[in-house]
Amino acid sequence: MPRSVDIAIKVLWASLVINALLSLLGKVIGVDSLGSFIGALIVTGLYCIIPYKLANRSNAARYVYLILTIISVLIMIAAGNEIPMSNIDKLNVYITLPMNIYTLYLLFFNDEAKYWFKSN
């Protein structure tokens, strides 16, 4: 596995852990409801499939991750201030969005990563 892919997978795992921990913090301090917390954990759990598939050289997983990230950003932009976000949700976005962009950079704009996925 190329170093860039290894780093991308580690950054992606770190962002998922941060997301889960901030969701837990939101629940513990009473900012998020139980349903919101469970929903966040389910989505985070589903996202855990992506780094696993990336480690197994799935080119499709790269594109699924790209599409999901783009959709998430577009929803945040389109919603603007329409959807109220707690400070914990904002913190989550401020921390994990740069991590996700860096992960996409490593997976799509690194020649050895592109070659590694396409040679499968």
Side-chain angles (χ1 to χ4, degrees), residues 37-105:
F37 172 66
I38 291 172
L41 288 184
I42 289 170
V43 170
T44 301
L46 291 172
Y47 260 86
C48 288
I49 296 169
I50 293 172
Y52 169 77
K53 295 300 278 180
L54 289 172
N56 287 308
R57 223 172 176 174
S58 171
N59 196 35
R62 271 191 335 151
Y63 286 97
V64 167
Y65 180 62
L66 172 67
I67 291 166
L68 290 174
T69 302
I70 290 171
I71 289 171
S72 297
V73 169
L74 290 176
I75 288 171
M76 284 189 302
I77 291 170
N81 292 328
E82 299 294 320
I83 298 175
M85 288 179 67
S86 69
N87 287 335
I88 292 187
D89 291 335
K90 290 177 186 174
L91 180 63
N92 190 6
V93 169
Y94 295 143
I95 293 172
T96 60
L97 184 59
M99 295 172 79
N100 293 336
I101 291 169
Y102 181 60
T103 300
L104 289 172
Y105 170 77

